[in-house]
Amino acid sequence: MSRVVLAHLHCWYGQTHAVDDVTLVVGDGELCVLLGPTGCGKTSTLRMIAGFVRPAAGDIFLDGRRINDLYPGDRNIAMIFQSYALYPHMTVRQQFAFPLKATKMPAREIEQRIKETADFLHMHEFLDRYPGELSAGQQQRVAVGRALIRRPKLFLMDEPLSQLDARLRVEMRATLRRLQQDLGITTIYVTHDQMEAQSVADKIVVMNQGRIQQIGSPLEIYARPANLFVAGFIGSPPMNFLDCRLEQRQGQLYVCNDRFAFPLRPDLADRVGRVSLGQPLVLGIRPEHIRLSPEAQANAVPAEVYVLEPQSSELIVDLKLGDLILKMRGDKREIGFRPHLSQQVWMEFQQDHLHLFDKGTEVCIL
Amino acid sequence: MASIRLENVTVRYEHYDVLKGINLTVDDGELCALVGPSGCGKTSVLRVIAGLTRPVAGNVYMDGQLVNDVPPGERDIAMVFQRFALYPYMTTRENWAFPLLAAGLPQKEIEARINAMSEFLSMGPLMDRYPKQLSGGQQQRVAVGRALVRRAKVFLMDEPLGSQDAKMRVEMRAKLKKLQMDLGITTVYVTHDQVEAQAIGDKVAVMEAGIIHQVGSPEEIYDKPATLFVAGFVGTPGMNFLHGSLQREDDHLFIRHPLFKLAVPPALAANVEAGASSQEVIVGFRPEHIRLHQIAEGDAIPAEIYVLEPQSNKLVVSLKLGQEILKMQADRDRLGFEPRLGQKVFVTFEQEFAHIFDKATGRRMD
Amino acid sequence: MKVLKRALGIALALLVAAVFLFPLLWVVLSSFKTKLELLAVPPVFIFKPTLQNYINAFRSDFPLQVRNSLIIAVSTTVISITLGSLTAYGFSRYTIKGSDFLQFWILSLRMLPAIAVVVPFYLVFRTLGLLDRHIALILVYCLFNISFAVWVLKGFFDEIPLELEEAAMLDGYSPPQVFLKVSLPLARAGLATTAIFCLIQSLNEFLLAVSLTTRVAETAPVGLSKVQTLMGVDWGLLSAGSIVFMLPVVIFTVIVRNELVRGMSFGRMR
């Protein structure tokens, strides 16, 4: 049972402010994903929790106890490394025993724990092999086994699936998620893959340039991104962005730019009422929230079919709007017609899923 | 402009057949995506077409002419490598001029071609930069441009997006596809990523262990996979496979599984029965063809929710049916309820989307 | 065609091997010959072997000299490997002020020509009363070999992924334990390579040995060189001595040969 609190954590590498005022609470049994592009500070944060890097400022609490000054081995934390960090000179059995020996556990009990772990991960036939003799997927299981055999208070995982091929990765993330839920061990998980993050997380922390951009459940992060960065980082293909402004026409609020103008639904208009008209804004709409029609529709935006990308049961349609390329995504059966290249089509943005961002501050205003 | 035909091509390294008598036709102006797991021989196919590897058996035709003995330099083929292979000490302009100088073109002609290509790829200010001053995406454009200025007949690309991050890959693949269409240049595109292959290929060839399992449009590959391998390889999450046996009752053909009984559509029954090597079959259902219900209805199968994975507007649900784990996928707002972990639910299959394979041969049976 | 190529290759390999192995063969044969056979022209290859040369060698000071050589070489090797691996690990894993300069300085010691330091060392050891003592040669040899060991072993430690050590730290092991249980075993190819080189270097060294020892701590190379007497060279004795002297290195090399191959190629892990 454990809870992690990070309070105003900072970390510098030379002139780089790698982690900038990170404050975060991870609840007991929760799986929290630190998500962001390379160099966003997610791994540095993890390494500070593990104790490999000393924070320049701020505190780390595990179960209410400040662990800043504890040696890594005294923190009761287990970690799964990106490269798995399996000891090449030890068999799987020896790898499993290694952390237990450090605690001076009696040999009988070590044997017992190894047996339990091997049962749990179905690893009996591999116990006497060396890591070099195992496939990537098996190595990953050994890494998991070595981490959980100690029954630690906290699991840290640094891109634990990145060494696996796409197929296995999709499979293993469900397995890992289930395992973590069964064990109920508090986990902090680092990845740059937003799909993976959505799929395993109770809570996602989106980071960029050392700072936390947003904390929320996968659904919150997807449906209500706090700013342009989060909006553009989550989802594939990513959200489409269009420069626009708001104008008052015939008593209605219109979203418009040089190429289109459509009225904003009254309830939405009320919510953005305080935004001064004419201010530069960015409209954000996800590919799955654009409806296409082969015929002109009221308030729809005309565009040209530019590229077609089949995607399993779905179709991604690239649409050309002036110099901009927008992407829409929809189930082949539901698009309603078969778009062909260079066809003139009309896009309707589903207003339930429309986002507006302030172009200057990049903060979401709708 | 050219067509390519491979006829019973076999390539052997040491004593191992990397390609086992493959046949492939790529029509003039077509983009053929070769996809398969690593080591399946897809890169060897490229090398055979380029003339870098000599098949021990079989023939290679370009435009109907046998080119087995034509050296690579005379095949008029341009290649883009995964690592781009740009000359680091040359600017974009120099990189592009290099193959033209080698071909002994007059200076004026070279300049004209480079300027035209620069405009086409909107390279403008990037023409006088060195590769290290360019971003990954820009370097890729330079690599593509260098292949294009030669106005080769055939374009070969080996994982050209392999070194880009996920977001850039999605963006670049559409641009590459558009570029290829505009130029109308016959292209063979190698990738290990089935999503990319579907998105970019006019035609997709799925390879495994030196053989081509299926060649077809992205829709054919997805909707009518020819073998178990293709069915499992294409689509994510992967197809669910269930083992069953064929049974005839009165006039109807059924597939019996411990959990359910599936009626084979009468239109297919004759084919299925004629083609079966034994009673043992494997039925495949894609995740989007499994339906979830809160209440038992008709022949719904009871199941337990095992893992929940949000994916943007979709939800991937792992279901435990007896000993089997199946994955289903649906739009979150179409599910009609918010599934919870451990919840008892009921599952039905959209039977018209069943894929039936012969267990012994792995072949599709209709 | 292929067969011919292969045959040609084998023939070439045999030729090269013959060129390299012939001197060794000559020494081995010589050690079993009588004085007369030794000086026979043309040389004889078929003869009745005698052990007399070996008996003579073991009746002289030679066993003592071999013992000296082994004491000095093994001590040097053990000390160099121990101190060298610790120093190399420090350079590899910790940020040390002036690390680059220190490393260059240590390496430069290795480049020092022995002839330049013979006289100063002689004077120092005479003052300390250490002339003709094992410890004198051990100290001097360590000077050269530790610098070599640091230089080679740092490369091996650099190759070990940091994550392996971090994993062990989280597993509850202290930094010295991590070094002993993870880093050192993983660098064993480097340790074997370094040990062989240290051993050979200290066994073969002549100039310092001849200057700093006279009788008590005299090493085998020095002793063998003195076989050249007024009555000419006793080639038989010299050959027998060389063979005996060669054995320890050969045996050690055979024992660690697997590690050595990986070490020589600065082998990556696995």
Side-chain angles (χ1 to χ4, degrees):
Chain A
M1 300 296 104
S2 39
R3 193 175 126 97
V4 181
V5 178
L6 309 181
H8 303 288
L9 221 50
H10 288 263
C11 169
W12 289 84
Y13 290 126
Q15 294 297 306
T16 319
H17 204 164
V19 175
D20 185 356
D21 199 31
V22 163
T23 298
L24 174 68
V25 178
V26 183
D28 184 26
E30 206 172 46
L31 195 154
C32 171
V33 171
L34 305 181
L35 172 69
T38 315
C40 73
K42 55 192 192 299
T43 300
S44 302
T45 306
L46 200 72
R47 292 173 59 80
M48 285 192 283
I49 300 169
F52 304 142
V53 177
R54 187 170 268 282
D59 300 307
I60 305 167
F61 297 94
L62 182 58
D63 277 344
R65 181 176 173 211
R66 188 173 176 276
I67 57 168
N68 282 39
D69 303 319
L70 281 187
Y71 181 73
D74 298 331
R75 296 184 180 202
N76 201 3
I77 289 174
M79 182 156 170
I80 298 176
F81 293 84
Q82 184 167 13
S83 62
Y84 309 145
L86 300 180
Y87 310 114
H89 60 301
M90 295 185 196
T91 63
V92 174
R93 189 187 298 280
Q94 289 166 330
Q95 316 254 1
F96 283 177
F98 196 66
L100 301 180
K101 280 185 177 161
T103 62
K104 306 265 188 305
M105 186 183 278
R108 281 253 311 273
E109 202 173 326
I110 292 183
E111 274 303 306
Q112 183 57 31
R113 283 266 189 111
I114 294 176
K115 198 187 157 299
E116 281 170 22
T117 309
D119 281 344
F120 188 61
L121 295 170
H122 311 291
M123 293 231 55
H124 274 292
E125 63 269 46
F126 308 122
L127 275 181
D128 293 306
R129 300 223 195 131
Y130 287 93
E133 299 164 343
L134 301 175
S135 72
Q138 291 163 345
Q139 289 186 17
Q140 209 264 348
R141 268 150 71 198
V142 178
V144 171
R146 192 182 61 185
L148 60 85
I149 199 165
R150 279 177 48 207
R151 302 180 186 159
K153 280 188 177 171
L154 175 66
F155 255 164
L156 303 179
M157 304 193 187
D158 186 8
E159 305 262 9
L161 304 178
S162 64
Q163 309 268 316
L164 306 176
D165 67 39
R167 171 94 347 184
L168 203 52
R169 197 154 58 224
V170 171
E171 218 170 274
M172 285 304 290
R173 70 188 183 204
T175 312
L176 215 56
R177 174 59 171 156
R178 178 69 199 192
L179 188 87
Q180 188 268 341
Q181 278 169 335
D182 285 348
L183 296 170
I185 297 182
T186 313
T187 304
I188 301 179
Y189 186 114
V190 159
T191 181
H192 69 277
D193 180 345
Q194 52 92 17
M195 298 289 258
E196 191 174 307
Q198 289 188 49
S199 127
V200 300
D202 289 310
K203 176 196 269 177
I204 296 180
V205 179
V206 184
M207 293 183 72
N208 190 34
Q209 297 182 338
R211 288 177 161 274
I212 292 183
Q213 304 292 317
Q214 188 174 1
I215 303 179
S217 72
L219 186 58
E220 281 164 2
I221 298 271
Y222 169 78
R224 291 190 293 282
N227 57 37
L228 268 182
F229 177 81
V230 177
F233 197 78
I234 302 288
S236 177
M239 191 184 277
N240 298 295
F241 295 122
L242 297 149
D243 283 342
C244 68
R245 61 189 182 278
L246 291 176
E247 274 177 21
Q248 192 82 27
R249 296 182 188 175
Q250 300 113 36
Q252 257 196 313
L253 207 54
Y254 270 73
V255 179
C256 53
N257 72 9
D258 303 343
R259 303 204 156 258
F260 61 81
F262 60 85
L264 201 57
R265 229 170 51 196
D267 58 316
L268 300 178
D270 290 346
R271 276 167 55 194
V272 293
R274 63 189 188 284
V275 178
S276 58
L277 300 175
Q279 197 179 325
L281 300 176
V282 177
L283 178 153
I285 185 81
R286 295 199 184 275
E288 53 270 34
H289 299 140
I290 298 179
R291 288 234 183 81
L292 278 195
S293 157
E295 290 120 30
Q297 305 272 326
N299 296 326
V301 181
E304 183 198 322
V305 176
Y306 191 66
V307 180
L308 293 169
E309 301 175 80
Q311 205 78 118
S312 302
S313 59
E314 297 187 313
L315 185 66
I316 295 171
V317 185
D318 289 39
L319 300 152
K320 196 169 161 73
L321 183 69
D323 290 340
L324 268 179
I325 305 288
L326 271 61
K327 291 195 190 232
M328 80 75 67
R329 173 164 73 95
D331 196 294
K332 275 176 208 163
R333 290 186 279 181
E334 288 168 11
I335 289 180
F337 67 106
R338 233 187 133 80
H340 57 262
L341 286 179
S342 305
Q343 186 181 2
Q344 175 83 11
V345 292
W346 280 262
M347 306 186 287
E348 189 197 331
F349 302 146
Q350 294 180 25
Q351 297 216 356
D352 281 334
H353 303 288
L354 194 76
H355 304 271
L356 287 175
F357 303 89
D358 184 308
K359 195 172 162 80
T361 63
E362 303 198 342
V363 172
C364 183
I365 56 171
L366 177 68
Chain B
M1 302 304 109
S3 64
I4 304 165
R5 188 155 60 89
L6 304 185
E7 196 181 75
N8 293 320
V9 167
T10 298
V11 167
R12 191 168 297 155
Y13 287 128
E14 304 287 324
H15 299 290
Y16 175 69
D17 283 355
V18 206
L19 295 180
K20 298 167 185 162
I22 65 154
N23 290 291
L24 179 68
T25 307
V26 185
D27 293 330
D28 189 14
E30 203 172 42
L31 193 157
C32 173
L34 286 178
V35 66
S38 61
C40 71
K42 53 195 191 292
T43 299
S44 299
V45 175
L46 272 203
R47 295 178 56 85
V48 165
I49 299 171
L52 300 169
T53 297
R54 208 187 152 83
V56 291
N59 295 319
V60 183
Y61 298 92
M62 284 176 68
D63 276 340
Q65 298 213 298
L66 188 68
V67 293
N68 281 21
D69 299 318
V70 179
E74 290 167 28
R75 292 193 186 190
D76 202 6
I77 281 172
M79 198 155 169
V80 178
F81 297 90
Q82 179 169 3
R83 289 256 154 237
F84 304 152
L86 297 176
Y87 306 109
Y89 49 89
M90 292 186 194
T91 62
T92 304
R93 189 179 299 282
E94 289 163 346
N95 261 296
W96 285 2
F98 197 69
L100 304 180
L101 288 168
L105 256 59
Q107 192 63 38
K108 247 177 134 171
E109 167 79 15
I110 293 181
E111 253 165 57
R113 279 205 198 178
I114 288 180
N115 290 338
M117 189 54 64
S118 162
E119 200 161 314
F120 185 74
L121 292 173
S122 43
M123 295 292 293
L126 308 178
M127 289 306 291
D128 294 306
R129 298 218 192 139
Y130 290 93
K132 64 169 182 287
Q133 298 168 309
L134 301 171
S135 72
Q138 292 166 336
Q139 286 187 29
Q140 197 222 17
R141 259 147 73 199
V142 178
V144 170
R146 186 177 62 180
L148 289 177
V149 281
R150 284 190 32 212
R151 298 189 185 162
K153 285 200 283 194
V154 171
F155 213 5
L156 304 179
M157 300 200 222
D158 190 1
E159 301 263 6
L161 305 179
S163 47
Q164 315 272 341
D165 66 31
K167 195 138 294 184
M168 188 61 106
R169 288 175 79 116
V170 172
E171 196 185 316
M172 289 304 299
R173 72 181 187 215
K175 287 192 175 166
L176 264 186
K177 184 170 187 177
K178 176 72 180 161
L179 188 68
Q180 187 271 340
M181 279 189 299
D182 289 350
L183 294 167
I185 183 171
T186 313
T187 303
V188 183
Y189 185 105
V190 161
T191 177
H192 69 278
D193 180 354
Q194 50 92 15
V195 174
E196 193 170 295
Q198 288 187 54
I200 205 167
D202 294 317
K203 178 194 257 178
V204 177
V206 184
M207 292 188 68
E208 186 230 9
I211 61 166
I212 294 183
H213 277 258
Q214 187 174 6
V215 183
S217 70
E219 289 80 7
E220 282 166 356
I221 299 273
Y222 187 77
D223 296 335
K224 286 211 174 305
T227 66
L228 266 178
F229 177 80
V230 177
F233 188 78
V234 176
T236 182
M239 192 184 277
N240 299 291
F241 294 116
L242 297 156
H243 295 249
S245 53
L246 285 176
Q247 254 173 25
R248 182 164 269 287
E249 284 174 21
D250 304 331
D251 271 354
H252 293 286
L253 190 63
F254 291 94
I255 292 168
R256 188 170 284 285
H257 179 274
L259 296 170
F260 61 89
K261 195 169 95 177
L262 175 77
V264 178
L268 304 178
N271 275 344
V272 168
E273 229 173 1
S277 61
S278 74
Q279 300 299 347
E280 301 303 301
V281 295
I282 292 175
V283 186
F285 285 104
R286 297 228 176 254
E288 58 268 31
H289 298 141
I290 298 180
R291 295 256 171 276
L292 274 196
H293 313 276
Q294 279 178 291
I295 310 156
E297 50 176 70
D299 49 0
I301 306 156
E304 185 200 321
I305 293 185
Y306 191 65
V307 182
L308 288 169
E309 298 175 81
Q311 290 289 260
S312 301
N313 58 336
K314 293 178 192 295
L315 192 61
V316 177
V317 185
S318 299
L319 297 157
K320 200 162 179 177
L321 284 79
Q323 288 306 301
E324 316 237 24
I325 304 265
L326 302 186
K327 286 197 183 191
M328 69 82 62
Q329 171 180 305
D331 275 13
R332 207 193 295 257
D333 29 340
R334 298 276 177 82
L335 269 174
F337 67 106
E338 189 68 33
R340 299 179 322 273
L341 208 64
Q343 188 180 358
K344 304 284 181 220
V345 291
F346 298 90
V347 168
T348 52
F349 300 109
E350 289 186 48
Q351 307 213 342
E352 64 270 34
F353 292 107
H355 302 265
I356 306 167
F357 301 93
D358 188 322
K359 188 175 177 183
T361 62
R363 294 197 172 283
R364 186 181 189 84
M365 294 176 74
D366 51 44
Chain C
M1 186 62 195
K2 241 181 189 166
V3 179
L4 192 72
K5 239 183 189 168
R6 202 170 157 72
L8 218 72
I10 291 174
L12 197 71
L14 282 177
L15 185 74
V16 171
V19 168
F20 278 96
L21 290 179
F22 185 74
L24 195 64
L25 179 73
W26 187 263
V27 174
V28 173
L29 290 177
S30 300
S31 71
F32 292 107
K33 285 179 179 175
T34 60
K35 280 211 173 67
L36 272 175
E37 288 161 347
L38 268 166
L39 298 175
V41 178
V44 285
F45 286 94
I46 312 289
F47 57 91
K48 191 163 164 271
T50 167
L51 283 176
Q52 195 54 48
N53 290 321
Y54 288 89
I55 293 165
N56 290 346
F58 278 95
R59 281 190 183 144
S60 68
D61 285 343
F62 183 65
L64 177 73
Q65 291 159 354
V66 171
R67 196 175 137 257
N68 286 339
S69 271
L70 286 179
I71 289 172
I72 291 167
V74 170
S75 310
T76 304
T77 305
V78 170
I79 295 171
S80 304
I81 293 286
T82 311
L83 293 181
S85 59
L86 285 168
T87 316
Y89 186 74
F91 277 127
S92 172
R93 285 298 188 245
Y94 297 93
T95 30
I96 301 162
K97 250 192 189 151
S99 166
D100 286 348
F101 170 74
L102 276 174
Q103 282 178 58
F104 172 74
W105 185 62
I106 288 176
L107 182 61
S108 70
L109 287 181
R110 173 75 192 183
M111 299 168 182
L112 201 67
I115 192 84
V117 291
V118 164
V119 176
F121 271 134
Y122 184 84
L123 298 174
V124 169
F125 286 124
R126 193 180 61 181
T127 316
L128 294 174
L130 293 178
L131 280 184
D132 204 17
R133 304 271 296 272
H134 295 128
I135 186 74
L137 275 187
I138 292 173
L139 283 175
V140 179
Y141 288 173
C142 278
L143 174 74
F144 290 96
N145 283 321
I146 289 175
S147 64
F148 173 75
V150 169
W151 183 58
V152 173
L153 287 174
K154 180 175 177 294
F156 281 91
F157 286 127
D158 285 346
E159 286 268 304
I160 300 174
L162 192 60
E163 292 188 343
L164 287 179
E165 293 177 8
E166 289 176 345
M169 279 160 72
L170 274 181
D171 281 347
Y173 290 93
S174 65
Q177 286 174 316
V178 172
F179 174 71
L180 285 176
K181 287 176 195 267
V182 177
S183 319
L184 222 46
L186 291 176
R188 62 177 189 268
L191 294 176
T193 316
T194 316
I196 289 272
F197 278 108
C198 286
L199 203 63
I200 292 173
Q201 149 81 16
S202 348
L203 283 175
N204 282 348
E205 206 285 333
F206 181 77
L207 183 64
L208 289 160
V210 82
S211 338
L212 300 180
T213 62
T214 44
R215 194 178 155 69
V216 182
E218 195 171 61
T219 64
V222 178
L224 287 175
S225 74
K226 291 184 180 163
V227 173
Q228 300 181 27
T229 59
L230 283 179
M231 291 142 69
V233 181
D234 184 347
W235 291 113
L237 187 69
L238 189 59
S239 305
S242 306
I243 300 288
V244 172
F245 187 55
M246 219 153 52
L247 283 178
V249 177
V250 171
I251 291 168
F252 188 63
T253 308
V254 169
I255 292 172
V256 300
R257 68 186 182 283
N258 286 334
E259 304 296 337
L260 203 60
V261 172
R262 293 203 300 166
M264 291 295 195
S265 52
F266 269 72
R268 301 201 130 261
M269 316 255 295
R270 280 190 297 207

